Amino acid sequence: MQRYKCIISYDGSEFSGYQIQPSKRTVQLVLEDVLTKMHKGNAVKVSASGRTDAGVHAKGQVIHFDSPLSIPENKWEVALNSLLPEDLAVLSVEKTHDSFHARFDAVGKEYRYFLRLSSKRDPFQRKYAYQYPFQLNMDAIREAIPYLLGTHDFTSFCSAKTEVEDKIRTLESIEITVDDDMLIFRFIGNGFLYNMVRILVGILLEVGSGERNPSDLLEILQAKDRKCAGKTAPAQGLYLWKVFYE
Amino acid sequence: MQRYKCIISYDGSEFSGYQIQPSKRTVQLVLEDVLTKMHKGNAVKVSASGRTDAGVHAKGQVIHFDSPLSIPENKWEVALNSLLPEDLAVLSVEKTHDSFHARFDAVGKEYRYFLRLSSKRDPFQRKYAYQYPFQLNMDAIREAIPYLLGTHDFTSFCSAKTEVEDKIRTLESIEITVDDDMLIFRFIGNGFLYNMVRILVGILLEVGSGERNPSDLLEILQAKDRKCAGKTAPAQGLYLWKVFYE
């Protein structure tokens, strides 16, 4: 048996998220089906760095799997891509040690959220960015960010549906860049709770639109109550961009 | 009755082209359905600057239609977009004179063709660019372009399926720009024949890959025979970018 680490990318639009669910098209299901086919029907299990929700995209998701096949490292990528559907691609495959785990060994992640600031519809961006036609006070957003950085209990920024108990995470940075009409939020942290990035984007938009003050974020964090934060920003703007390992 | 001129944009991926065909989802059908709904069931006919094929995109297609409705000019865009599907958007609506015709008054068009130069699959570009994993000799392509510019009989660069008799067109310019791994061809001319841009891209790729010499284009033009030119480049890289009027 050899363990392989892969970087994969997917357009989340037509997937019901990453994780296997009964009678849904998920990324894990498609990957395991293809690997099982390559292994002549012997089931192959795939482990990822974490789940992504329906409609959420990935530019650099990381998975691992074990295989007894003697395929040269550089042929795996071609073999897998030849069987995978067009909305899911393997970007790299490398041999790794038997104890590597895509989820438990991850030391950090980068997510990006794409917000299209326009009142005009764009058919080409409908699945790849969240259209936001209102004015945003960028100074207020930049003033709010420092309240979120560092190590906090992010209970207020986590879906109540989570099963995770420890909600303490460290948010290393939130950077904002502007590219034409696209506002891009980059979040880097040691880990993210369920819906955390989308709830953070939601609250930053409420600050930017004047519905909240930047300093409200302090109280929201301290409340440790999901109901204190605002709406969850839509899935289609979110990309799992990169997973970091030691 | 008032005539309106609209600029529209569509993601061609899920349309069977622009023109109405029996039991197909086409751009014209969707537009006419929405307008007919707005006119309480009275059929409204839409005329475009020209057809686009299945899978071909539009950033600036132009259409016109007539309406007796007394909707203020600036409300039309909102009204239409509220009824149109997400892959088809109206970018502008303006009143025009009764003799304006989207097709007959067009004096030129710009098409762009997006070629992604990469051996890596990109799930996000699969419907929006043609992936080309081979080396291209850009100098050879630039040497070939002048043979195509100017006024020619473009029979060799027109699908044999066309019904148009006059195949003389003037190609004003072909510009090539590079943006990261994307090679963008911009074609401007007074009119384009059926599949002409895709056949032109196909032959330029054959020149770039060394299968043909730049000067072969002279003979191909003179042959006035579709069989002399090469393959038609795939639809998903092509965008009707702009239509010019006096």
Side-chain angles (χ1 to χ4, degrees):
Chain A
M1 277 291 188
Q2 172 65 51
R3 183 155 292 190
Y4 293 91
K5 174 189 174 191
C6 306
I7 301 176
I8 65 171
S9 176
Y10 44 89
D11 174 344
S13 312
E14 286 158 38
F15 287 107
S16 299
Y18 174 81
Q19 198 175 44
I20 284 187
Q21 298 173 58
S23 61
K24 298 271 189 180
R25 182 178 189 260
T26 68
V27 176
Q28 187 185 359
L29 178 76
V30 169
L31 285 169
E32 292 187 353
D33 276 357
V34 161
L35 280 164
T36 300
K37 209 169 282 170
M38 284 179 69
H39 291 76
K40 301 190 192 303
N42 295 310
V44 177
K45 179 145 167 45
V46 170
S47 297
S49 73
R51 310 172 191 178
T52 53
D53 266 355
V56 173
H57 311 293
K59 294 286 267 188
Q61 169 71 291
V62 174
I63 59 156
H64 78 256
F65 64 86
D66 295 323
S67 172
L69 298 183
S70 58
I71 298 174
E73 202 172 11
N74 59 355
K75 300 284 189 217
W76 269 105
E77 186 187 325
V78 175
L80 286 167
N81 282 326
S82 71
L83 294 169
L84 287 169
E86 281 195 312
D87 53 352
L88 171 55
V90 170
L91 303 182
S92 70
V93 182
E94 59 177 77
K95 288 184 182 176
T96 186
H97 51 88
D98 287 355
S99 64
F100 172 81
H101 195 288
R103 180 166 157 219
F104 302 129
D105 289 358
V107 295
K109 281 184 183 169
E110 176 177 347
Y111 279 94
R112 296 194 185 180
Y113 196 92
F114 284 66
L115 195 75
R116 203 170 66 83
L117 298 174
S118 175
S119 59
K120 294 276 183 196
R121 284 172 47 180
D122 181 348
F124 299 97
Q125 291 297 336
R126 70 195 193 281
K127 296 174 184 170
Y128 306 113
Y130 170 38
Q131 184 188 348
Y132 191 84
F134 312 109
Q135 286 293 319
L136 279 181
N137 178 343
M138 293 307 299
D139 290 337
I141 291 178
R142 289 184 206 280
E143 200 184 321
I145 286 173
Y147 290 103
L148 299 168
L149 299 181
T151 304
H152 304 283
D153 182 323
F154 281 99
T155 302
S156 298
F157 296 93
C158 173
S159 166
K161 283 186 282 177
T162 189
E163 286 159 21
V164 174
E165 301 224 337
D166 174 14
K167 304 214 181 68
I168 294 173
R169 295 291 182 277
T170 301
L171 204 47
E172 308 279 353
S173 66
I174 304 177
E175 285 179 14
I176 300 177
T177 53
V178 179
D179 181 11
D180 200 12
D181 62 358
M182 203 70 84
L183 196 71
I184 306 161
F185 294 83
R186 295 173 59 183
F187 297 85
I188 296 180
N190 70 345
F192 292 86
L193 299 162
Y194 186 36
N195 277 354
M196 180 168 153
V197 177
R198 290 165 58 189
I199 300 170
L200 287 169
V201 170
I203 201 86
L204 290 173
L205 294 180
E206 290 188 6
V207 168
S209 67
E211 291 165 74
R212 308 246 195 178
N213 295 314
S215 61
D216 289 356
L217 293 194
L218 190 63
E219 289 157 39
I220 297 169
L221 271 170
Q222 285 170 349
K224 295 174 194 159
D225 180 356
R226 169 68 187 91
K227 289 193 280 295
C228 295
K231 285 188 207 122
T232 304
Q236 77 267 23
L238 186 61
Y239 295 71
L240 171 55
W241 205 263
K242 202 172 176 182
V243 186
F244 301 101
Y245 294 92
E246 286 290 348
Chain B
M1 276 293 188
Q2 172 64 51
R3 183 154 292 189
Y4 293 92
K5 174 190 174 191
C6 306
I7 301 177
I8 65 171
S9 176
Y10 44 87
D11 174 344
S13 313
E14 286 158 38
F15 287 106
S16 300
Y18 174 81
Q19 197 175 45
I20 284 186
Q21 298 173 58
S23 61
K24 299 271 191 181
R25 182 179 188 260
T26 69
V27 176
Q28 187 184 358
L29 178 76
V30 169
L31 284 170
E32 292 187 353
D33 276 357
V34 161
L35 280 164
T36 300
K37 209 168 283 171
M38 284 179 69
H39 291 76
K40 300 189 194 301
N42 294 310
V44 177
K45 179 147 165 45
V46 170
S47 297
S49 73
R51 310 173 191 178
T52 53
D53 266 355
V56 173
H57 310 293
K59 295 286 269 187
Q61 169 71 290
V62 175
I63 59 155
H64 78 256
F65 65 87
D66 295 323
S67 172
L69 298 183
S70 58
I71 298 174
E73 201 173 11
N74 59 355
K75 300 283 188 219
W76 269 106
E77 186 187 324
V78 175
L80 286 167
N81 282 326
S82 71
L83 294 169
L84 287 168
E86 281 196 312
D87 53 352
L88 172 54
V90 170
L91 303 182
S92 71
V93 182
E94 60 177 76
K95 288 183 181 175
T96 185
H97 50 89
D98 287 355
S99 64
F100 172 82
H101 195 288
R103 181 167 156 216
F104 303 129
D105 289 359
V107 295
K109 280 183 184 169
E110 175 178 348
Y111 279 94
R112 296 194 186 180
Y113 196 92
F114 284 67
L115 194 75
R116 202 170 66 83
L117 298 174
S118 176
S119 59
K120 294 275 183 195
R121 284 173 48 180
D122 181 347
F124 298 97
Q125 292 297 334
R126 70 194 193 280
K127 297 173 182 170
Y128 306 113
Y130 170 37
Q131 185 189 348
Y132 192 83
F134 312 109
Q135 286 293 318
L136 280 181
N137 178 344
M138 293 306 300
D139 289 339
I141 291 178
R142 288 185 206 281
E143 199 185 321
I145 286 173
Y147 291 103
L148 299 168
L149 299 182
T151 304
H152 304 283
D153 182 323
F154 281 99
T155 301
S156 298
F157 297 93
C158 173
S159 165
K161 283 186 282 178
T162 190
E163 287 160 20
V164 175
E165 301 224 337
D166 174 14
K167 304 214 180 69
I168 294 173
R169 295 291 182 279
T170 302
L171 204 46
E172 308 279 354
S173 65
I174 303 177
E175 285 179 14
I176 300 176
T177 53
V178 180
D179 181 10
D180 200 14
D181 62 357
M182 202 70 84
L183 196 71
I184 306 161
F185 294 83
R186 296 173 58 184
F187 297 85
I188 296 179
N190 70 345
F192 291 86
L193 299 163
Y194 186 37
N195 276 354
M196 180 168 154
V197 178
R198 290 165 57 190
I199 300 170
L200 287 169
V201 170
I203 201 86
L204 289 173
L205 294 180
E206 290 188 6
V207 168
S209 67
E211 291 164 76
R212 308 245 195 180
N213 295 315
S215 61
D216 289 356
L217 292 195
L218 190 62
E219 290 157 39
I220 297 169
L221 270 170
Q222 285 169 349
K224 294 174 195 160
D225 180 355
R226 170 67 186 92
K227 288 193 281 295
C228 295
K231 285 188 208 122
T232 304
Q236 78 266 23
L238 185 61
Y239 294 71
L240 171 54
W241 205 264
K242 202 172 176 181
V243 186
F244 301 101
Y245 294 92
E246 287 290 349

